[in-house]
C-alpha cells in the first residue's frame, strides 16, 4: 500500500482587495502518494502557483489543512516549520529571478547548508556542494560563475541543486521548464525523472502545458478560477476527459500527426471575476453545455469512475469528440 505524503483538505486563500475578497484558491482538496508526481494545470491566474506557495507556507492560507506525513503544517510554530522545510522545497519558474545575481553558483548552493547548519566543517560543505552540482548536471568549473554568465538551463540546474541540498522528500516544481527552450526543457524534465527515481522524491508539478504534464505526471488535477474541475491519472484524463473545460484544453494540445484530428473546442464568453465570484459553476459562462442548474449550484468534485473525479453537473466523455 502506498504511503500518503501530502493530504490537502479544503484549502482556501482569499486576498482582500478594495472591491472585495479575491478567491485565489477556493476550497480544494487532493492527496499525493510518496514517490509519485501530481500535475496541476490550468490557465494563467487560476491559482495553481498559489497552491504551491500555500503548501510550503511561503504564503499563509486563509483556511484548510495541509497534512505532511499526517501532521498539519499550518499548526507548526516557526521553529518546527523551519525544521520541516528541510523536507519541503521548491524550484521556481524563472531561474534568473530566483537566484541572487551577486552570488556565485557555489555561494547559491551552499546557502541552505549554512542556514540549516547541515555540515560540520568547511571541507564537508565544499564536498557537499560539488556533489550537488554533479547530481544536477553542473560542471565543477562553473562553481565561481554568476547567474548572468549561465544559460537558462544551467541556471535552473542551480535551482534544482539548491532544492536538493537539504535532502527533501517533497518538491514543488512551479513551471520549472516554461522559461526554457524546448530542447533544454527535455533535458531538465529527464533530470527531474532521474532524480525522482534515485532519491524517491515526490513532486507537485505546476504547469500550463498539458503535454509536459502528461510526460511527467502520475495524476493530473485541472484548475479553473481557484477550483479543481477534474482529477484523474494522466492516461485516463487524456483518454476520457469528463469536464468541458478539460475537453477544451486537451483539444488545443498539438498532435504531431497528419492522420489524427481532434475537433478544436473554442471557448467563448468572459472569465468571471475571482473577486466575490457568483454562485454556481465557475465555468458556466463559457460552457456550451451550461444549464440553469449550473448557474445556481456549484458542482462538487465527485468520483465518476474509479480514481476519476470531476466537478460538473452534466459530465460527458470527451473521447467521443475525437474523429
Amino acid at each position: 500500500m502506498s504511503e500518503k505524503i501530502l493530504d490537502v483538505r479544503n484549502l482556501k486563500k482569499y486576498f482582500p482587495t478594495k472591491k472585495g475578497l479575491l478567491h485565489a484558491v477556493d476550497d480544494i482538496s487532493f492527496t499525493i502518494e510518496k514517490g509519485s508526481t501530481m500535475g496541476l494545470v490550468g490557465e494563467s491566474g487560476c491559482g495553481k502557483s498559489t497552491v504551491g506557495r500555500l503548501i510550503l507556507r511561503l504564503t499563509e492560507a486563509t483556511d484548510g489543512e495541509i497534512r505532511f506525513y499526517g501532521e498539519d503544517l499550518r499548526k507548526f510554530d516557526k521553529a518546527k516549520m523551519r525544521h520541516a522545510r528541510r523536507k519541503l522545497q521548491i524550484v521556481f519558474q524563472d531561474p534568473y529571478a530566483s537566484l541572487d545575481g551577486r552570488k556565485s553558483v557555489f555561494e547559491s548552493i551552499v546557502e541552505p547548508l549554512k542556514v540549516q547548519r547541515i555540515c560540520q566543517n568547511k571541507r564537508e560543505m565544499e564536498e557537499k556542494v560539488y556533489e550537488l552540482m554533479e547530481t544536477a548536471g553542473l560542471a565543477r568549473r562553473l562553481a565561481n560563475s554568476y547567474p548572468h554568465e549561465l544559460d537558462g538551463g544551467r541556471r535552473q540546474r542551480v535551482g534544482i541543486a539548491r532544492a536538493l541540498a537539504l535532502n527533501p522528500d517533497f518538491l514543488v516544481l512551479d513551471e520549472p521548464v516554461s522559461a526554457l527552450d524546448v530542447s533544454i526543457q527535455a533535458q531538465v524534465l529527464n533530470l527531474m525523472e532521474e532524480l525522482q527515481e534515485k532519491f524517491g522524491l515526490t513532486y507537485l508539478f505546476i504547469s500550463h502545458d498539458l503535454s509536459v504534464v502528461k510526460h511527467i505526471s502520475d495524476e493530473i488535477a485541472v484548475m479553473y478560477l481557484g477550483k479543481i474541475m477534474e482529477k484523474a491519472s494522466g492516461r485516463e484524463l487524456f483518454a476520457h476527459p469528463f469536464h468541458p473545460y478539460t475537453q477544451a484544453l486537451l483539444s488545443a494540445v498539438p498532435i504531431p500527426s497528419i492522420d489524427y484530428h481532434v475537433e478544436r473546442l473554442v471557448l467563448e464568453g468572459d472569465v468571471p471575476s475571482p473577486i466575490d465570484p457568483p454562485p454556481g459553476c465557475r465555468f458556466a459562462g463559457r460552457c456550451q453545455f451550461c444549464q440553469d442548474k449550473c448557474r445556481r449550484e456549484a458542482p462538487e468534485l465527485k468520483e465518476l469512475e474509479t480514481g476519476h473525479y470531476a466537478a460538473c453537473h452534466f459530465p460527458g466523455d470527451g473521447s467521443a469528440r475525437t474523429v
Side-chain angles (χ1 to χ4, degrees):
M1 185 176 179
S2 300
E3 181 182 3
K4 191 189 304 180
I5 188 172
L6 186 74
D7 186 3
V8 174
R9 303 178 185 178
N10 308 112
L11 188 63
K12 299 178 182 179
K13 179 58 182 179
Y14 302 157
F15 292 99
T17 71
K18 293 180 180 180
K19 295 183 179 180
L21 289 177
L22 190 153
H23 293 224
V25 177
D26 201 356
D27 196 15
I28 70 169
S29 302
F30 60 86
T31 61
I32 305 179
E33 294 182 350
K34 187 173 177 62
S36 69
T37 299
M38 169 172 273
L40 193 59
V41 301
E43 296 173 325
S44 296
C46 71
K48 55 189 186 297
S49 291
T50 303
V51 171
R53 297 180 70 86
L54 292 175
I55 290 171
L56 300 178
R57 287 188 63 187
L58 298 177
T59 301
E60 293 295 342
T62 302
D63 197 8
E65 298 179 0
I66 306 164
R67 295 189 172 273
F68 184 64
Y69 286 123
E71 293 188 272
D72 190 356
L73 294 175
R74 293 194 65 216
K75 295 180 179 179
F76 284 15
D77 58 24
K78 186 177 290 187
K80 194 172 183 180
M81 192 64 212
R82 179 189 177 95
H83 183 75
R85 290 195 191 283
R86 296 186 180 189
K87 297 299 180 183
L88 296 152
Q89 290 293 312
I90 185 170
V91 177
F92 292 98
Q93 176 179 357
D94 187 346
Y96 192 72
S98 64
L99 298 175
D100 189 337
R102 298 168 296 180
K103 292 184 177 180
S104 67
V105 170
F106 184 95
E107 291 169 331
S108 294
I109 297 174
V110 82
E111 185 176 22
L113 300 175
K114 288 181 177 179
V115 171
Q116 292 283 354
R117 300 175 182 177
I118 299 297
C119 301
Q120 301 297 320
N121 51 59
K122 186 176 180 180
R123 181 177 179 181
E124 184 180 340
M125 201 175 292
E126 288 181 357
E127 290 176 353
K128 180 67 174 177
V129 170
Y130 290 132
E131 178 186 334
L132 288 165
M133 289 181 65
E134 183 178 353
T135 300
L138 290 165
R140 184 176 291 204
R141 61 181 172 79
L142 299 174
N144 295 319
S145 300
Y146 288 84
H148 70 274
E149 299 175 312
L150 305 176
D151 59 32
R154 288 192 176 94
R155 287 180 200 143
Q156 195 60 289
R157 289 173 187 269
V158 175
I160 292 169
R162 276 172 58 93
L164 295 176
L166 303 177
N167 299 316
D169 290 343
F170 179 80
L171 287 179
V172 173
L173 306 175
D174 188 5
E175 305 213 36
V177 298
S178 63
L180 307 178
D181 293 338
V182 175
S183 59
I184 305 300
Q185 283 185 11
Q187 295 175 19
V188 173
L189 287 173
N190 290 336
L191 173 63
M192 298 310 302
E193 289 185 319
E194 291 169 8
L195 294 175
Q196 183 174 41
E197 184 175 349
K198 182 177 180 179
F199 299 111
L201 298 170
T202 306
Y203 295 150
L204 175 65
F205 192 94
I206 299 168
S207 179
H208 62 272
D209 190 333
L210 274 163
S211 58
V212 170
V213 170
K214 181 184 180 183
H215 175 75
I216 198 170
S217 302
D218 299 297
E219 191 173 32
I220 299 174
V222 180
M223 279 191 75
Y224 182 80
L225 215 66
K227 292 276 193 181
I228 290 181
M229 294 295 172
E230 189 162 4
K231 181 165 68 73
S233 68
R235 178 175 295 181
E236 175 65 19
L237 190 81
F238 272 72
H240 307 291
F242 282 116
H243 200 284
Y245 177 59
T246 309
Q247 294 168 15
L249 289 181
L250 291 177
S251 75
V253 177
I255 298 174
S257 172
I258 59 174
D259 300 320
Y260 191 88
H261 173 68
V262 176
E263 179 187 347
R264 177 75 170 92
L265 303 180
V266 180
L267 296 179
E268 299 180 351
D270 296 326
V271 179
S273 171
I275 299 176
D276 295 328
C281 178
R282 301 283 168 88
F283 189 62
R286 304 175 74 190
C287 181
Q288 59 180 318
F289 307 111
C290 177
Q291 300 185 30
D292 289 341
K293 183 179 181 180
C294 302
R295 299 186 185 278
R296 295 194 314 267
E297 302 175 22
E300 296 181 6
L301 189 68
K302 294 182 178 180
E303 188 172 22
L304 303 180
E305 293 182 355
T306 304
H308 195 153
Y309 299 78
C312 184
H313 291 305
F314 306 100
D317 187 345
S319 64
R321 299 184 182 279
T322 302
V323 295

